[in-house]
Amino acid sequence: MSGPHSAARKRPNIIYIVADDLGNADLGCYGGRDATFGPVSPEIDQLAARGMRFTQGYSNSPVCSPTRFAIMTARYQYRLRGAAEEPIRTNTRGNAELGLPPSHPTLPSLLREAGYRTALMGKWHLGYPPHFSPLQSGYEEFFGPMSGGVDYFTHCGTCGQHDLWFGEEEKQQEGYLTDLITDYSLDFIERMAEGAKADAPFFLSVHYTAPHWPWETRDDEPLARELAASQQAIYHLHGGNVETYRRMIHHMDEGIGRIMRTLEAHGLAQDTLVVFTSDNGGERFSDNWPLVGGKMDLTEGGIRVPWVAHWPNGIAAGRVSEQTCMSMDWSATMLDLGRAPAHPAYPLDGVSLAHVLEGVDAPATDRPLFWRMNHRGQRAMREGDWKYLRVDGIDYLFNLRNDERERANLAPVLPERLQDMLTRWEAWNDSMPAVPGDATVSLCYTDKDMPQR
């Protein structure tokens, strides 16, 4: 599985940073505008300037927990029952079926078998104890919420129930969650630093909940108490604004800067691969320009996300790639660079991008990428410049090179190309488990900017 150039180089430490509901153009390095307080994402922008930025990168799903199944397994999430939930809901707590099976090999479990130390600091959203947890799926340490979203101060989820865990034990901890995730990440790096200088690299997942609602900055603890008192849990439909949203991203960005400075202080920055992305496209206050749609949509705004990779000893600075890729490919890449072979009974769907990162003189990998959503009967396929999309029973064909906004439906004028992509999507879909009849779809998300009848 390892690429031809990875074996000779020291295995990198790996830090995998995942934002929550971040829009494609929210970051300065992706064309995002400054806020009133200044640049929104200067630390991430520096990672991109000193590393590599992908312009045609995707999430495996336009909603959170399905993408996280793909991140963890390096496989299409549709292979697992829990990923059919769009997303896994808080009221399924205790369900023995809806989660990541501990028996399934994962990115952290395979890296751990290859000698990596592993930790997840932040959001899990792949099922609840006692049946599921990060510690049962390859992580040695865990701090964060098990559910899809919690208040930044009270750490209560959508049902108003406290949801902050240390391993498999719930505990109270004061503090703004974005900063707590950063703090625990720094603590892990500090403790792993000496081993990492020898032959015990670490794999650290830093899964922020920012900028997911509720719309709270570090200064908004009174608002959190108000939401709790009014029994709104984290639902904040009457609140928020663009400036608050940008400040939430900025708090996360500041934490990433702290992580990078800690790596530098321990002499680890050169040998650490840092990857930044989002679990899906943006929502409500996000900027997806020029893309259309957002979370829950298979239009580009729901699945095209930032992908930034920084690794001084492995990636030349200032590179931009149009290589198409999706979440599971990055997990396959990390396994490749960590020289952690896949389990033979669970072959990967993801394809390693190691040769792209290392600048190997090889043609870009061009394979079809597939998506499906129970919500609105959506389906999508991307191959080269072409995209096939179905929403509410209507088929669309777009040339993304010419029309990233997916406004010019070429289906009526190119019926043969449409039929070819439709046929191949259906053949791929037949290779996946069917969507269970009892799978649920969240009703918390809107369908703005989706193609309509």
Side-chain angles (χ1 to χ4, degrees):
M1 173 176 162
S2 296
H5 295 263
S6 60
R9 181 180 285 121
K10 180 181 178 181
R11 296 186 301 169
N13 305 301
I14 302 171
I15 299 180
Y16 198 175
I17 305 173
V18 181
D20 198 349
D21 295 357
L22 185 76
N24 184 68
D26 282 331
L27 305 177
C29 56
Y30 279 86
R33 291 167 286 184
D34 287 353
T36 56
F37 56 79
V40 174
S41 57
E43 301 290 349
I44 302 170
D45 298 345
Q46 280 278 24
L47 292 181
R50 296 173 179 171
M52 192 171 187
R53 180 172 64 88
F54 287 71
T55 63
Q56 303 294 312
Y58 291 90
S59 59
N60 263 67
S61 171
V63 67
C64 37
S65 56
T67 292
R68 293 168 195 273
F69 276 93
I71 286 174
M72 290 293 289
T73 65
R75 308 173 85 212
Y76 275 116
Q77 65 272 22
Y78 316 105
R79 299 185 183 280
L80 292 170
R81 169 62 185 89
E85 302 296 297
E86 298 175 354
I88 292 177
R89 297 168 298 157
T90 303
N91 63 8
T92 64
R93 188 166 179 164
N95 187 297
E97 186 178 19
L98 301 183
L100 177 60
S103 60
H104 196 297
T106 64
L107 173 59
S109 74
L110 294 170
L111 285 172
R112 187 174 177 181
E113 290 173 8
Y116 276 74
R117 305 297 303 274
T118 62
L120 167 60
M121 304 303 176
K123 177 173 172 176
W124 168 244
H125 206 186
L126 292 171
Y128 296 87
H131 307 289
F132 313 102
S133 82
L135 301 191
Q136 297 180 50
S137 288
Y139 289 110
E140 297 176 72
E141 300 182 24
F142 169 60
F143 164 81
M146 293 281 186
S147 67
V150 297
D151 187 274
Y152 287 86
F153 293 95
T154 67
H155 313 138
C156 292
T158 55
C159 295
Q161 184 174 2
H162 180 262
D163 182 24
L164 191 64
W165 300 72
F166 294 73
E168 293 187 345
E169 182 179 355
E170 277 192 275
K171 291 184 181 179
Q172 298 285 339
Q173 169 85 51
E174 290 189 2
Y176 183 68
L177 184 57
T178 301
D179 293 337
L180 291 176
I181 291 170
T182 299
D183 290 343
Y184 280 92
S185 297
L186 298 182
D187 176 70
F188 179 79
I189 295 169
E190 294 273 1
R191 289 184 286 108
M192 297 298 113
E194 285 306 310
K197 293 174 185 177
D199 193 29
F202 61 82
F203 171 67
L204 171 61
S205 296
V206 184
H207 291 185
Y208 288 105
T209 59
H212 191 289
W213 36 271
W215 317 110
E216 297 170 353
T217 72
R218 286 193 194 112
D219 300 323
D220 290 324
E221 186 169 2
L223 174 59
R225 306 302 171 189
E226 176 188 319
L227 291 174
S230 61
Q231 297 185 328
Q232 294 186 55
I234 66 172
Y235 295 110
H236 198 191
L237 299 180
H238 67 287
N241 54 61
V242 171
E243 283 301 296
T244 293
Y245 175 79
R246 289 175 171 168
R247 181 70 75 176
M248 293 168 71
I249 297 171
H250 189 65
H251 292 334
M252 173 179 64
D253 186 76
E254 290 173 321
I256 292 169
R258 292 175 62 201
I259 288 171
M260 295 309 300
R261 286 189 288 277
T262 300
L263 292 174
E264 290 162 4
H266 287 282
L268 298 175
Q270 298 294 311
D271 288 320
T272 300
L273 169 64
V274 179
V275 175
F276 176 88
T277 190
S278 177
D279 58 353
N280 48 252
E283 183 195 22
R284 193 169 185 177
F285 296 116
S286 61
D287 186 354
N288 284 328
W289 180 263
L291 310 179
V292 167
K295 186 173 183 175
M296 296 296 288
D297 307 339
L298 287 182
T299 46
E300 292 292 284
I303 51 177
R304 184 98 68 85
V305 294
W307 284 102
V308 172
H310 178 274
W311 178 24
N313 280 352
I315 302 173
R319 295 174 58 205
V320 178
S321 175
E322 292 188 351
Q323 171 70 57
T324 55
C325 57
M326 58 200 310
S327 310
M328 62 186 183
D329 297 333
W330 287 88
S331 300
T333 303
M334 293 171 188
L335 292 173
D336 187 355
L337 295 173
R339 298 198 280 278
H343 191 291
Y346 299 87
L348 307 186
D349 295 313
V351 173
S352 175
L353 304 168
H355 67 288
V356 180
L357 299 182
E358 296 171 349
V360 176
D361 187 15
T365 302
D366 185 14
R367 77 190 199 281
L369 306 177
F370 299 95
W371 295 264
R372 75 182 186 197
M373 283 287 284
N374 199 21
H375 176 56
R376 299 184 70 180
Q378 296 177 79
R379 56 170 70 172
M381 171 184 173
R382 165 100 192 240
E383 186 173 39
D385 294 337
W386 294 94
K387 181 176 178 181
Y388 162 57
L389 175 70
R390 176 179 289 184
V391 183
D392 294 332
I394 300 176
D395 289 326
Y396 302 84
L397 178 68
F398 300 110
N399 185 303
L400 296 179
R401 177 71 63 179
N402 300 328
D403 177 28
E404 282 191 309
R405 284 186 63 75
E406 299 170 283
R407 301 290 82 179
N409 182 15
L410 301 176
V413 295
L414 294 172
E416 291 183 0
R417 181 177 289 275
L418 172 68
Q419 185 58 49
D420 173 67
M421 296 186 78
L422 185 157
T423 299
R424 288 193 290 146
W425 184 93
E426 292 182 341
W428 166 82
N429 189 54
D430 288 342
S431 73
M432 295 289 151
V435 178
D438 61 348
T440 60
V441 175
S442 173
L443 301 179
C444 298
Y445 309 108
T446 62
D447 303 322
K448 67 180 180 65
D449 295 331
M450 286 288 280
Q452 304 292 328
R453 290 187 182 275

